[in-house]
Amino acid sequence: MTTKTSTDTAAQASINAAARELHLPTVRAEAERLAEIAARERQTHRGYLAEVLAAEVDDRTERRRTRRINEAKFPRIKRLAEFNIDAVPSITPATLGHLAAGNYLDAGEPVVMLGDSGTGKTHLLIGLGLAACEQGRRVRYVTTAHLVNELVEAADERVLSRVVARYGRLDLLCLDELGYVQIDPRGAELLFQIITEREERASIAIATNLPFSEWGAVFPDPRLVAAIVDRVTFNAHILETGTQSYRLRTSKNTRRRAN
């Protein structure tokens, strides 16, 4: 028994050393526990190895998912499953399910959420971004005003190409609050660079309170407006959230259920 214990201890030490060298933290943490389970259940060597490697893969997937969510910089967590479909009848569960699957990302197709303030656009935008993160995709959420300011600062500091390339590498760019702030000509041209960088190659999801016919109130150059609208609507998935406040109806329903 002592000999077996010594052998097992030496084997565990070797596993720990190898796992540390190979950067396999879950193997190092779980190998001994899974070995005890394997012995009780009389698993084969292959069965035990499969369990150890599966644990490492699962843990690595979860760490990657968590990292993607943190890197996306969502202002809060909102899931598509939590969206109240009854409040916005024009958007069906099938539509959300199709988008959650992420096929539009593989095709580089845009998504546009159109509707008045409070109608659930940002919830949908974050929900799409979160679903993409959970698939291991690279996502970034940003308001239009913040992105334009970032681009202007990058241009002033002569690092614009680096910033544009960084946004170009994303699988999904979630652009919120387009239409709330007018953009000056320089900012509009810089934003156009980001949109062009992603055209038909990587998806952009936009939440806006303005119909496309009114985007001229945001972008001062009519030709630039036409070019931007053309790019964000080509093969786009357009979700109309309407004019009635989603937040107000949700709050009323919550109070009604509580009473």
Side-chain angles (χ1 to χ4, degrees):
M1 185 62 141
T2 304
T3 302
K4 182 180 182 303
T5 301
S6 300
T7 301
D8 287 346
T9 301
Q12 184 61 45
S14 296
I15 290 171
N16 290 342
R20 188 177 293 107
E21 180 69 22
L22 296 171
H23 303 290
L24 301 173
T26 306
V27 169
R28 188 170 70 250
E30 296 292 320
E32 188 170 5
R33 183 181 68 84
L34 292 175
E36 292 171 357
I37 294 173
R40 286 199 305 270
E41 297 179 355
R42 297 185 178 181
Q43 293 178 1
T44 64
H45 293 94
R46 287 190 181 90
Y48 167 64
L49 179 60
E51 289 293 331
V52 172
L53 294 178
E56 182 68 47
V57 170
D58 290 345
D59 190 53
R60 187 166 295 190
T61 299
E62 178 60 23
R63 292 198 305 272
R64 182 169 60 248
R65 185 190 71 86
T66 301
R67 185 175 67 253
R68 294 299 190 204
I69 292 173
N70 291 336
E71 290 172 347
K73 300 185 184 301
F74 298 120
R76 52 198 170 276
I77 297 299
K78 295 286 186 179
R79 301 183 182 279
L80 291 177
E82 299 166 350
F83 188 78
N84 185 0
I85 294 292
D86 296 333
V88 187
S90 60
I91 300 176
T92 66
T95 297
L96 292 187
H98 175 71
L99 291 172
N103 294 330
Y104 76 99
L105 294 167
D106 297 326
E109 296 168 346
V111 182
V112 181
M113 272 71 74
L114 292 169
D116 285 355
S117 179
T119 57
K121 301 185 303 298
T122 296
H123 185 144
L124 291 171
L125 188 67
I126 294 173
L128 285 176
L130 189 60
C133 286
E134 290 176 341
Q135 296 171 10
R137 316 257 192 175
R138 292 166 297 184
V139 179
R140 175 69 196 279
Y141 167 95
V142 65
T143 65
T144 303
H146 182 92
L147 177 56
V148 169
N149 289 337
E150 183 180 353
L151 294 172
V152 169
E153 290 177 7
D156 290 341
E157 295 172 5
R158 300 182 184 276
V159 292
L160 180 62
S161 59
R162 187 187 312 163
V163 174
V164 171
R166 185 172 72 240
Y167 277 101
R169 288 192 295 269
L170 297 170
D171 296 304
L172 176 63
L173 172 60
C174 297
L175 190 61
D176 204 359
E177 298 181 1
L178 191 152
Y180 289 88
V181 178
Q182 188 177 37
I183 302 173
D184 64 25
R186 185 187 184 205
E189 290 175 2
L190 294 172
L191 181 60
F192 181 67
Q193 286 190 45
I194 295 291
I195 294 172
T196 300
E197 178 76 12
R198 305 183 61 78
E199 184 183 7
E200 294 187 56
R201 188 183 57 78
S203 294
I204 183 171
I206 297 174
T208 177
N209 64 323
L210 296 177
F212 298 116
S213 60
E214 296 181 19
W215 281 24
V218 180
F219 304 103
D221 185 341
R223 290 174 298 180
L224 191 61
V225 174
I228 290 174
V229 170
D230 179 66
R231 282 161 173 76
V232 302
T233 56
F234 182 70
N235 287 333
H237 303 265
I238 299 176
L239 308 181
E240 297 188 36
T241 58
T243 58
Q244 297 185 25
S245 175
Y246 170 85
R247 284 196 293 265
L248 179 60
R249 279 178 292 179
T250 300
S251 298
K252 287 181 177 178
N253 290 338
T254 301
R255 287 198 297 271
R256 190 178 298 117
R257 286 194 296 269
N259 293 331

